[in-house]
Amino acid sequence: MAGQMVINKRVKYRPSVKEAGIPGVLLMTEDKFTFTPNDPRSLARLEVDFRSIKGHMVSKDGSKDALLNLKYDIEGKSRGYIFEFDNFPDRNACRDFVGKILGKIQAMGSSGQNAQTVSAKSAAPVRGEQLSTKEMERRMKLLREDSELQKLHKQLVMSNVLTEAEFWSTRKDLLEADAQRTSKQRSGFKSAMLADVRPLTDGRSNKVTFSLTPEIIHQIFSEKPAVHQAFLSSVPSRMTEKDFWTKYCRAEYLRKTRNRMAAEAEAAEDEELAVFLKHDDILANEIRRKVRRVDPSLDMAADLGDDYMHLPDHGILRDGNKETSDLENEIPVRTFAHDINRHAAVVLEGRALDVELGDTRTVAEELARSKQAELATETSDENIDRERLERVYRMTEIDDLHDPQKLPFAPLCIKDPREYFDSQQANALKALRDTGSGTKPINLSAEEAYNFVMDQISEVLSSGLSDPVVQPETALKVLNGLSQQLSSTKYHFGKNPQESIFDGLPRKDKDELLHHWSSIQELLRHFWSSYPITTAYLYNKVLRLKDAMTDIYHKLQKLKDSAQSDFRHQISLLVQPMLQALDAAFAHYDMEQLKNSNKSRNTPNGFVQQA
Amino acid sequence: MASKLYTDDVSLVVVLLDVNPFFWGGALKKTTTTTNSPSVLSFSNFLNHVLPFLNSILLLNQLNQVVVIACGANTCGYIYDSSETKTSEAGVGGSGRMPDLCERVLGSLEEFVVNDQRTGWGADPTAANAASGMLSGSLSLALCYIQRVLRGGLLHPQPRILCVQGSPDGPEQYVAVMNSIFSAQRSMVPIDSCVIGVQHSAFLQQASYITGGVYLKPQQLDGLFQYLSMVFATDLHSRNFIQLPKPVGVDFRASCFCHKKTIDMGYVCSVCLSIFCKQHKKCSTCGSEFNQPHLVPISTSEQK
Amino acid sequence: MPQVRILAKNFMDMVAALPATKLDKLYENPFICEAVLRSLPPLAKKYALQLLFIDSPISAKTMEGWVLADGISKHRVAIDRLLQLRVFLEEIDRKKESTYKLNPKFQGNIQKYLVYGGSLPRQPMPSNVTVRLPTLEDLETYVLEQWEVATAAINQGFLLQLISSSQVEKLTSFSASMMKFFQRGLLSARENEAPKLTENGFQFLLMDTNAQLWYIIREYISTAEDRGVEQMDLISFLLELSFHTTGEAYNLNTLTDIQRSVIKDLANLGLVKLQQGRKESWFIPTKLATNLSVSLSDSSARKQGFVVVETNFRMYSYSTSKLHCEILRLFSRIEYQLPNLIVGAITKESLYSAFENGINSDQIISFLQENAHPRVAERIPAVPENVTDQIRLWENDRNRVEMTLAHVYEDFPSKEVFEATCDFARDMGGLLWEDTDKKRLVVRGEYHQDMKDFLRRQK
């Protein structure tokens, strides 16, 4: 069977923990595992159904032996099949496999009612489909949560009207929605400013300590592209990682202490160190690119009023003293606002890496890769520029200087309005003659008719209106008739007719009707989607569906007939559309059948013969 | 459907009278064969019921207004407008033999019939023989009148339309009638229908259903006035409190555009929504060509 | 026959209060049948119409079968009204169910009306005799003038100094005794004191014209017998009048003597205009007269308003009428007057003076709403909510202090006696206030005797 998961590993079987293992081959399939010893004479041959396995245990990664213990119960005592593997990866593969299978079996057991359904199903040959455990679990979950669905599933799948696959194929959306719900949330960047490393002084000596964790390093890399690049280029070719970070910390320290002279001096001596102190060009580029992408109609120009820095009582305090910005300096000062902006940008980008934070080098490389990918997806600068220009043009457009914008439209063209408003009178009249029996047999010339009407008018004119207009008896009869008609409809049809009909029914009938309705819908959906019948499989399916529908049809009829007299009318009102829908399906079936029998006479190799 | 809240009972009733001579002539032939059947009404009897009814509407509130529109076989037109006669010829007064209104209605009715006959001369007499009344035309006239009143000022009476029809539906008027119905719905004018013919009228059923009016087919035509006064005299304000007869079912079927047959399954042009009973290569209304080799018929029974 | 005087809210209530025999006699007049039918609530009209051609009684149950759940109360009102006016006659049938039947006289008259048409009460005069007939517009202005003068006359004590002397002279046309009748209840005239408007008088001013008209007509009718005129004759004449055509001339000779005397008074009110030809004299009914039966019905008054109230409490009235100005002055401060516009502001002070005159907030608000200019009448609400709320709040302000007659008790000999007294007062439900430290309490005045007895027992 293609697609069946099989695991085949070389192992040693240990009848007990202390005994030495018997070398052999372990073969695991969906429902059982077998152990075949290398020595054909050995009696330690095993063939065990997974359903008897209660659980599994493993030895720790890196311990002496790579063991897998599959537990089972014998007479209330817990025993285990212990296998020793050559290496851990082999063992882990088996462990995962066993885990999956046991999970599946457990899920079936726990879902109570469904357990039978599914085990019965899994016992039956599954037609060419192999489900992953996850898929299976999702289905079970849906059935557990939706009792209606479960009922439907039980009725249709258990009675073999539909196969499992057919049933679920129309509910892919449900499954997918469920799958999406379970997908894990990805953790983003921490919003704490880790990259802003603080030196720790112990107070006694002159030593200053910076502590860097992999997480901090990751953040430094993403916030300071220059450091990131320097790391990639110089570690480990020119210096060790430790040296690199020492230098970085020194630069940070110099910056923090604002010892500008010292910083300049050191930067002049050590070009690597200078990198950390200088302006970050990569960052600047990136910012420029971003600025270019801002909506050009937005006025972002800053003016004097925006800057409160030089006013007294304005500005930002960092580490207890006020920041001042003087730009003439060769080593530019990174202000707090810069830092916080950059950090915020990185956090919002949410560039999380999938690698585990451990090795600094891999982190750096991974980051570089993700950045490159990002760049690649961005449109080239030229494109952006052109777009920008167009945008500016659009934004600054002066409407009243242009021609009125003509939106493209397709005119509705009615070739001959007479065809729409009038019609082929003759046809209409013919149809009328077929249906309208009332006036037909009277042959009346126009003149006769008009004269008659005129006579009648002058008759009224000359003799006046009759008094009384209505005979009292007739009037009373009409009044009673109307009152009766009203009282018969008043209670059944309230303001909202559909609702009140249904609500008035007893609960049992209501449930039954609802259930029938949903199963009819399901069946009809499958029925109609099977057409046109192209394969023998579809043919069989339609046959099955038809039988099921006939069954329901009879049930509905019975329901209708057995209803209490006061509800009979309402129930038949509700049942009527269902019956009609079914009738339509039957009629279609019969017609197709007829057509095919005609066709098959001509072409003896029709699919009916194949079936 | 949203409905206006009426606070008083001042009404404007536009009555569409069926004056189709072929219908009434047919009724005459019937009366001669089957004597005194309660289901058949002669035109003079009909007038005997309807005119007092119109009078009673005017009686109920002196601000009430009645407009009568006749629909004949070939034409339709205004016959009577209570607001006009009140001012222009108030001096004449009733003769005491018949209400003022009746004389006026009957007088203009005579003119109308003569005119209708003259218009019909040119047409093919056999085709006209089975023709239905000019329902679509008279509905449009009524709606135009009502629009004028609605736009006239704030203090207008509450308008409604009453169709007293006996002639069978003319499927060729389907589109026009439906258009009228929808515009009535838009201006929230209920269309009441009193069908005095032999068959139910699918047009009027739909008209009343869509616009929130009352559809009634009286069983006892010799008690027509009683039906009119019990059901159709009810003003829109009182309809909030009173139960009026409701039809058991409404025939919602449409007519196809190609053969004007009433159909329950058909093909719809995706461009102009014309309805056809058969599959066409090209829409006869808007000329769109249908590229796809097979269309799936819309069906009323299977909704997916 | 016991004369039960119900407080008539409108004219038809008064008709309804008439004894059965008189009512039945009234229905012999077709015009009264017509007017009564028009005065009915919409549902009642429908009921009357549907039983028009039915002779046998219809059970109440059948009638109820038509009513939706929402309409039960309306249905009751309609049936009650029909029974009150004896349009429906109630009978209890063998099964002890009440059945209804149309009053045969009423039924006959209405049936006749439908079949034969209503005839006019009297023929208008040919136009060659009446040469100088006023146009409808002229008539309209005449009505306004006449009516306002009449209204003003009733309130002359209040409005005298405000209305120009030329108009005051016209007032003499009303007989002094008539005037007194009208003023009864509206003015409080004490001797040697300028007459003052009573609460009713102020409220009267705020009513709409039809209500005012009916108020006066009612007074007029109720005092008719003093003048030797039969009430019923008067009622039927007034109703008849409402079926005349506005603007047509009718010969005075067609009237009875009593009617002729009545019509002079009506002319003073503006219901008719009297004109004298060379040989004959005639009367021309005005809109007020023909609308008499309109205003009987429940339908809201269909007339154009003139007041615009803004959210800033300013009020603009497009009116040339002095009377309007005076009415507005009742509750607002008039700031300036232009030829066709009165501008005012609703202030706390102006409202307080209105409240002091016994006008309440609801009356003011309904006046503003009913007379809202068509432009603002479309809006809901026609009067800004903040204004209506504020008017109500200001009225509540006046009711902040509730006055209760009470007695103070102090100087209790001991705390025990004081507490016992407090408990006693509390048990009676008369304790209003207590001060334990100073041993004082206040008790409602009506319990004073009980308190005295109690305190005596304590000693």
Side-chain angles (χ1 to χ4, degrees):
Chain A
M1 271 193 200
Q4 173 106 13
M5 296 213 300
V6 176
I7 277 198
N8 198 347
K9 290 284 185 264
R10 193 168 290 277
V11 294
K12 285 178 188 158
Y13 170 60
R14 292 188 188 173
S16 74
V17 188
K18 276 152 201 132
E19 279 177 70
I22 304 157
V25 172
L26 177 69
L27 179 76
M28 286 183 169
T29 64
E30 275 288 283
D31 45 0
K32 62 179 183 188
F33 66 89
T34 50
F35 174 74
T36 324
N38 289 346
D39 183 0
R41 284 162 301 163
S42 170
L43 293 173
R45 184 181 296 271
L46 289 173
E47 180 160 355
V48 182
D49 195 320
F50 266 123
R51 254 169 291 177
S52 62
I53 300 298
K54 294 284 169 269
H56 63 294
M57 290 164 78
V58 288
S59 57
K60 246 193 190 161
D61 272 15
S63 56
K64 209 179 83 196
D65 300 318
L67 297 179
L68 173 70
N69 186 356
L70 297 174
K71 298 194 147 238
Y72 64 99
D73 286 340
I74 284 185
E75 291 149 9
K77 267 202 221 157
S78 184
R79 301 280 301 275
Y81 303 106
I82 301 168
F83 299 101
E84 184 190 335
F85 288 78
D86 293 347
N87 51 19
F88 282 101
D90 274 3
R91 203 277 319 273
N92 288 350
C94 279
R95 177 195 64 191
D96 293 346
F97 183 78
V98 170
K100 262 184 212 162
I101 288 178
L102 290 183
K104 197 156 101 188
I105 290 169
Q106 259 166 15
M108 285 172 190
S110 65
S111 58
Q113 176 79 44
N114 305 317
Q116 292 173 357
T117 322
V118 177
S119 58
K121 185 227 77 191
S122 54
V126 185
R127 193 191 310 270
E129 81 159 336
Q130 195 55 57
L131 291 167
S132 67
T133 329
K134 237 187 220 159
E135 182 75 14
M136 207 62 202
E137 275 167 8
R138 243 184 257 147
R139 288 181 184 183
M140 306 306 295
K141 196 165 152 240
L142 272 176
L143 285 182
R144 235 172 303 146
E145 282 169 358
D146 188 348
S147 63
E148 296 254 327
L149 198 66
Q150 187 182 331
K151 236 189 206 166
L152 211 61
H153 182 267
K154 196 176 150 200
Q155 186 195 349
L156 298 178
V157 179
M158 291 302 287
S159 57
N160 279 332
V161 174
L162 292 175
T163 64
E164 183 85 7
E166 279 164 1
F167 183 79
W168 287 108
S169 67
T170 52
R171 290 191 169 68
K172 276 197 185 113
D173 52 334
L174 272 181
L175 288 171
E176 267 156 29
D178 193 61
Q180 267 165 14
R181 232 182 305 144
T182 53
S183 81
K184 255 199 180 166
Q185 191 183 1
R186 282 180 60 194
S187 59
F189 238 38
K190 275 195 185 149
S191 58
M193 286 184 66
L194 300 174
D196 191 18
V197 219
R198 286 294 147 86
L200 296 170
T201 44
D202 53 6
R204 268 169 295 167
S205 61
N206 242 351
K207 215 163 92 185
V208 175
T209 324
F210 281 86
S211 51
L212 297 172
T213 64
E215 208 176 354
I216 295 177
I217 290 174
H218 180 201
Q219 219 180 70
I220 291 174
F221 280 160
S222 32
E223 287 188 21
K224 297 173 182 167
V227 176
H228 179 214
Q229 199 159 36
F231 182 87
L232 284 177
S233 60
S234 51
V235 179
S237 57
R238 273 191 277 165
M239 59 179 95
T240 62
E241 198 178 330
K242 200 173 172 194
D243 287 343
F244 179 83
W245 289 118
T246 316
K247 235 170 218 164
Y248 172 77
C249 292
R250 184 158 180 76
E252 279 295 296
Y253 181 72
L254 285 172
R255 194 199 300 278
K256 284 247 153 63
T257 51
R258 301 173 180 282
N259 196 343
R260 196 172 298 134
M261 300 310 284
E264 266 171 44
E266 292 230 14
E269 264 172 42
D270 188 344
E271 60 179 82
E272 263 104 37
L273 191 83
V275 168
F276 299 133
L277 289 173
K278 259 198 293 183
H279 230 32
D280 196 330
D281 282 340
I282 304 174
L283 205 60
N285 268 335
E286 209 170 281
I287 287 169
R288 230 169 284 136
R289 209 172 52 237
K290 260 187 207 156
V291 167
R292 225 174 289 143
R293 265 182 289 162
V294 171
D295 188 342
S297 62
L298 209 63
D299 181 12
M300 302 231 303
D303 62 22
L304 262 173
D306 288 346
D307 183 14
Y308 294 99
M309 287 301 183
H310 36 261
L311 295 177
D313 299 331
H314 283 82
I316 305 163
L317 286 179
R318 188 188 210 185
D319 304 334
N321 42 26
K322 201 173 137 186
E323 280 186 343
T324 48
S325 52
D326 35 355
L327 298 164
E328 303 99 68
N329 225 291
E330 198 193 323
I331 298 174
V333 179
R334 268 201 340 261
T335 61
F336 185 54
H338 283 142
D339 282 350
I340 216 165
N341 276 339
R342 176 64 193 155
H343 176 72
V346 169
V347 169
L348 285 177
E349 268 170 26
R351 205 186 288 140
L353 294 181
D354 293 330
V355 288
E356 274 176 51
L357 297 172
D359 185 22
T360 326
R361 179 81 205 168
T362 50
V363 168
E365 276 164 1
E366 188 68 28
L367 196 63
R369 216 171 301 134
S370 76
K371 257 197 182 159
Q372 236 150 30
E374 216 168 275
L375 275 176
T377 58
E378 273 173 19
T379 44
S380 68
D381 277 4
E382 277 174 50
N383 256 349
I384 287 174
D385 277 347
R386 206 176 47 238
E387 229 168 69
R388 217 173 118 83
L389 274 176
E390 272 170 22
R391 198 118 167 228
V392 168
Y393 177 69
R394 251 205 324 275
M395 300 304 295
T396 54
E397 197 175 35
I398 300 168
D399 299 332
D400 47 358
L401 294 184
H402 284 270
D403 291 338
Q405 262 196 348
K406 288 210 178 80
L407 293 169
F409 69 95
L412 174 67
C413 127
I414 294 180
K415 294 254 164 79
D416 181 6
R418 281 194 63 81
E419 276 185 33
Y420 188 81
F421 293 111
D422 309 327
S423 58
Q424 299 151 3
Q425 186 104 351
N427 278 327
L429 292 175
K430 197 181 113 244
L432 203 80
R433 227 163 282 141
D434 296 342
T435 53
S437 57
T439 51
K440 201 196 70 166
I442 298 144
N443 279 319
L444 198 67
S445 80
E447 204 173 342
E448 206 181 332
Y450 279 110
N451 286 341
F452 167 71
V453 169
M454 287 300 278
D455 286 350
Q456 298 262 299
I457 293 172
S458 49
E459 184 192 320
V460 177
L461 256 176
S462 60
S463 63
L465 299 176
S466 61
D467 182 22
V469 175
V470 193
Q471 292 303 316
E473 300 80 44
T474 323
L476 185 65
K477 223 158 114 191
V478 168
L479 185 132
N480 286 336
L482 275 178
S483 301
Q484 212 167 12
Q485 188 192 338
L486 272 186
S487 60
S488 68
T489 54
K490 186 177 178 183
Y491 300 104
H492 300 163
F493 304 96
K495 277 187 176 160
N496 202 342
Q498 294 85 6
E499 225 172 40
S500 53
I501 292 182
F502 198 65
D503 290 345
L505 293 180
R507 213 188 142 68
K508 190 176 81 60
D509 290 347
K510 213 155 103 179
D511 289 347
E512 203 171 339
L513 276 172
L514 269 181
H515 177 63
H516 281 315
W517 180 235
S518 55
S519 43
I520 285 173
Q521 270 185 323
E522 180 74 20
L523 288 171
L524 283 173
R525 186 157 42 209
H526 284 285
F527 179 82
W528 289 106
S529 63
S530 309
Y531 282 94
I533 298 175
T534 45
T535 61
Y537 168 67
L538 276 178
Y539 178 79
N540 281 330
K541 184 178 167 189
V542 165
L543 218 58
R544 263 186 289 134
L545 288 168
K546 203 205 105 201
D547 291 343
M549 287 195 298
T550 321
D551 201 36
I552 291 190
Y553 194 92
H554 291 314
K555 271 189 203 156
L556 280 177
Q557 288 284 16
K558 220 190 285 162
L559 182 78
K560 206 167 83 173
D561 296 338
S562 67
Q564 286 169 35
S565 58
D566 25 342
F567 295 118
R568 186 166 296 165
H569 179 62
Q570 284 101 307
I571 288 186
S572 67
L573 270 181
L574 290 169
V575 165
Q576 201 54 38
M578 305 191 208
L579 294 183
Q580 277 173 356
L582 289 175
D583 280 335
F586 292 145
H588 187 79
Y589 178 82
D590 291 341
M591 218 168 70
E592 285 286 311
Q593 203 71 344
L594 199 72
K595 230 193 260 173
N596 282 322
S597 63
N598 289 343
K599 210 166 46 176
S600 63
R601 224 177 288 138
N602 303 338
T603 55
N605 288 333
F607 65 87
V608 181
Q609 271 72 23
Q610 285 169 9
Chain B
M1 193 187 78
S3 63
K4 278 187 191 169
L5 214 65
Y6 301 105
T7 51
D8 58 17
D9 63 336
V10 182
S11 332
L12 160 63
V13 187
V14 182
V15 183
L16 310 186
L17 284 189
D18 194 341
V19 196
N20 182 1
F22 300 102
F23 168 72
W24 292 112
L28 163 82
K29 283 277 167 75
K30 276 225 175 127
T31 29
T32 50
T33 48
T34 58
T35 44
N36 272 345
S37 155
S39 64
V40 181
L41 194 67
S42 78
F43 189 59
S44 59
N45 277 338
F46 171 71
L47 291 176
N48 254 324
H49 286 282
V50 171
L51 295 180
F53 166 70
L54 299 180
N55 214 1
S56 71
I57 288 183
L58 290 179
L59 170 70
L60 287 180
N61 193 322
Q62 58 269 66
L63 295 177
N64 277 1
Q65 204 183 327
V66 170
V67 172
V68 182
I69 295 172
C71 36
N74 304 301
T75 56
C76 47
Y78 297 108
I79 293 248
Y80 173 78
D81 182 343
S82 64
S83 67
E84 271 171 25
T85 44
K86 254 181 202 164
T87 51
S88 63
E89 288 182 69
V92 176
S95 58
R97 199 175 50 82
M98 188 187 289
D100 183 40
L101 168 144
C102 303
E103 278 181 8
R104 222 167 292 287
V105 168
L106 290 173
S108 18
L109 208 53
E110 275 183 322
E111 282 172 35
F112 173 80
V113 173
V114 170
N115 189 34
D116 191 41
Q117 190 177 13
R118 207 181 305 132
T119 325
W121 276 133
D124 176 19
T126 49
N129 207 336
S132 44
M134 296 291 291
L135 178 63
S136 61
S138 48
L139 266 179
S140 312
L141 279 182
L143 286 168
C144 289
Y145 189 94
I146 286 169
Q147 273 305 318
R148 199 177 70 198
V149 171
L150 287 179
R151 291 175 191 186
L154 284 171
L155 301 174
H156 55 74
Q158 312 301 348
R160 63 180 196 264
I161 297 176
L162 168 61
C163 301
V164 191
Q165 294 291 324
S167 315
D169 289 344
E172 74 279 357
Q173 293 178 25
Y174 176 73
V175 175
V177 169
M178 287 314 281
N179 284 340
S180 303
I181 292 173
F182 290 128
S183 69
Q185 183 194 23
R186 236 182 82 84
S187 37
M188 293 197 262
V189 176
I191 301 178
D192 295 336
S193 342
C194 181
V195 174
I196 49 173
V198 186
Q199 301 152 296
H200 276 285
S201 158
F203 284 177
L204 290 178
Q205 272 180 348
Q206 295 189 35
S208 297
Y209 182 85
I210 291 169
T211 58
V214 184
Y215 175 91
L216 186 70
K217 187 175 178 304
Q219 302 301 310
Q220 287 226 296
L221 284 178
D222 52 347
L224 181 63
F225 176 84
Q226 190 65 24
Y227 286 104
L228 291 172
S229 64
M230 278 182 82
V231 178
F232 298 106
T234 319
D235 58 278
L236 299 184
H237 173 63
S238 301
R239 288 187 192 194
N240 295 328
F241 315 114
I242 282 289
Q243 171 86 35
L244 291 175
K246 278 182 189 157
V248 183
V250 177
D251 188 350
F252 280 121
R253 288 177 305 169
S255 301
C256 69
F257 286 28
C258 44
H259 304 95
K260 306 291 163 192
K261 275 193 299 190
T262 314
I263 52 170
D264 35 18
M265 230 192 251
Y267 298 85
V268 177
C269 169
S270 56
V271 178
C272 67
L273 300 182
S274 300
I275 304 164
F276 302 103
C277 57
K278 278 190 211 138
Q279 190 184 319
H280 290 258
K281 282 205 181 92
K282 203 175 129 190
C283 173
S284 64
T285 307
C286 65
S288 315
E289 292 191 13
F290 304 133
N291 291 331
Q292 264 145 351
H294 57 85
L295 295 168
V296 182
I298 48 159
S299 96
T300 46
S301 50
E302 220 275 327
Q303 285 159 357
K304 229 181 116 168
Chain C
M1 194 172 285
Q3 277 281 14
V4 186
R5 249 192 98 87
I6 57 164
L7 200 77
K9 211 179 122 220
N10 65 31
F11 184 71
M12 274 304 153
D13 288 324
M14 209 164 84
V15 175
L18 288 174
T21 45
K22 279 194 180 179
L23 253 178
D24 285 350
K25 214 172 154 217
L26 270 182
Y27 287 141
E28 281 169 13
N29 185 336
F31 299 107
I32 300 211
C33 296
E34 234 179 285
V36 165
L37 182 67
R38 286 184 178 174
S39 77
L40 294 171
L43 264 188
K45 287 183 195 176
K46 186 194 134 53
Y47 291 153
L49 192 62
Q50 80 187 36
L51 295 195
L52 191 56
F53 285 95
I54 291 175
D55 286 344
S56 44
I58 297 298
S59 76
K61 258 195 196 148
T62 319
M63 304 283 282
E64 269 167 35
W66 288 68
V67 184
L68 288 174
D70 295 356
I72 292 290
S73 63
K74 293 258 179 194
H75 170 79
R76 296 249 166 78
V77 169
I79 293 285
D80 282 354
R81 194 73 181 158
L82 287 167
L83 291 175
Q84 264 176 22
L85 285 168
R86 290 182 57 78
V87 173
F88 270 19
L89 303 177
E90 190 171 15
E91 279 171 31
I92 308 293
D93 71 357
R94 276 164 288 136
K95 282 178 265 168
K96 299 215 167 162
E97 279 176 15
S98 52
T99 57
Y100 302 122
K101 189 176 168 222
L102 221 52
N103 187 328
K105 276 180 189 159
F106 183 91
Q107 189 171 22
N109 271 326
I110 297 288
Q111 278 187 10
K112 265 190 207 123
Y113 176 88
L114 288 190
V115 177
Y116 301 107
S119 56
L120 291 170
R122 50 183 60 81
Q123 288 299 315
M125 291 167 76
S127 50
N128 52 1
V129 183
T130 59
V131 217
R132 307 166 283 114
L133 271 191
T135 62
L136 285 176
E137 287 77 34
D138 289 346
L139 217 53
E140 192 94 332
T141 48
Y142 166 78
V143 167
L144 271 178
E145 239 170 58
Q146 221 38 33
W147 178 244
E148 286 189 7
V149 170
T151 325
I154 292 154
N155 307 296
Q156 56 177 304
F158 178 68
L159 297 176
L160 198 60
Q161 61 272 55
L162 300 163
I163 290 170
S164 67
S165 54
S166 67
Q167 278 167 307
V168 177
E169 275 161 27
K170 277 196 193 170
L171 299 176
T172 49
S173 58
F174 258 119
S175 69
S177 61
M178 280 269 300
M179 210 63 238
K180 252 188 204 145
F181 287 127
F182 291 157
Q183 291 174 355
R184 197 180 61 183
L186 299 180
L187 287 178
S188 70
R190 287 194 200 135
E191 289 197 30
N192 303 329
E193 218 179 286
K196 253 181 75 181
L197 270 181
T198 60
E199 286 185 16
N200 281 342
F202 280 109
Q203 293 178 3
F204 173 79
L205 282 181
L206 290 188
M207 286 187 226
D208 64 74
T209 316
N210 279 329
Q212 287 174 335
L213 180 63
W214 279 116
Y215 183 89
I216 288 177
I217 294 285
R218 212 166 61 216
E219 290 294 308
Y220 187 67
I221 293 172
S222 62
T223 57
E225 268 158 18
D226 304 348
R227 277 171 278 126
V229 179
E230 183 70 26
Q231 264 194 21
M232 249 180 49
D233 292 345
L234 196 54
I235 290 174
S236 57
F237 177 61
L238 279 169
L239 287 179
E240 223 177 271
L241 198 62
S242 69
F243 286 93
H244 288 72
T245 317
T246 313
E248 291 288 332
Y250 297 93
N251 198 325
L252 274 180
N253 290 338
T254 54
L255 301 176
T256 62
D257 288 347
I258 299 168
Q259 289 173 341
R260 229 172 291 162
S261 73
V262 167
I263 209 138
K264 271 185 198 131
D265 292 335
L266 298 184
N268 282 328
L269 285 174
L271 263 68
V272 291
K273 186 174 169 67
L274 294 175
Q275 269 188 337
Q276 190 107 36
R278 224 166 296 150
K279 266 190 273 173
E280 295 173 84
S281 53
W282 55 85
F283 68 93
I284 306 156
T286 65
K287 234 185 171 168
L288 275 186
T290 47
N291 278 357
L292 267 180
S293 62
V294 183
S295 52
L296 291 176
S297 66
D298 277 357
S299 34
S300 55
R302 290 176 161 250
K303 56 167 190 169
Q304 289 226 326
F306 56 94
V307 186
V308 179
V309 182
E310 291 188 336
T311 49
N312 57 5
F313 292 85
R314 288 177 74 76
M315 196 172 60
Y316 302 88
S317 317
Y318 293 88
S319 167
T320 50
S321 152
K322 282 214 170 65
L323 180 68
H324 283 157
C325 181
E326 290 317 314
I327 291 172
L328 295 177
R329 204 186 288 281
L330 287 178
F331 59 86
S332 66
R333 193 182 71 220
I334 301 299
E335 291 181 340
Y336 35 89
Q337 241 177 307
L338 303 174
N340 68 338
L341 180 68
I342 305 161
V343 181
I346 298 174
T347 65
K348 195 175 174 181
E349 289 70 33
S350 68
L351 280 174
Y352 271 23
S353 70
F355 295 146
E356 257 153 40
N357 282 323
I359 304 173
N360 63 37
S361 60
D362 287 337
Q363 283 169 329
I364 295 173
I365 291 166
S366 69
F367 174 82
L368 291 176
Q369 277 166 347
E370 275 161 23
N371 290 294
H373 193 274
R375 283 286 175 81
V376 287
E378 290 167 44
R379 283 185 226 149
I380 294 168
V383 181
E385 254 170 358
N386 72 320
V387 177
T388 53
D389 287 350
Q390 189 60 62
I391 291 176
R392 289 202 183 95
L393 283 177
W394 276 330
E395 188 187 38
N396 280 345
D397 273 358
R398 280 167 45 85
N399 304 334
R400 242 186 329 207
V401 179
E402 201 184 325
M403 308 273 249
T404 313
L405 198 67
H407 289 274
V408 184
Y409 305 86
E410 51 189 352
D411 291 337
F412 282 90
S414 69
K415 202 165 182 176
E416 286 71 37
V417 176
F418 172 76
E419 271 162 11
T421 317
C422 281
D423 290 344
F424 176 71
R426 202 176 288 122
D427 289 346
M428 282 193 307
L431 183 69
L432 292 173
W433 178 80
E434 62 175 286
D435 181 355
T436 324
D437 292 341
K438 293 187 176 160
K439 295 207 277 285
R440 284 190 300 189
L441 77 157
V442 176
V443 181
R444 283 179 188 278
E446 60 259 38
Y447 297 111
H448 185 52
Q449 194 56 45
D450 298 314
M451 291 297 291
K452 272 207 289 202
D453 294 347
F454 178 78
L455 287 172
R456 203 167 295 133
R457 263 180 278 137
Q458 294 294 308
K459 281 174 193 164

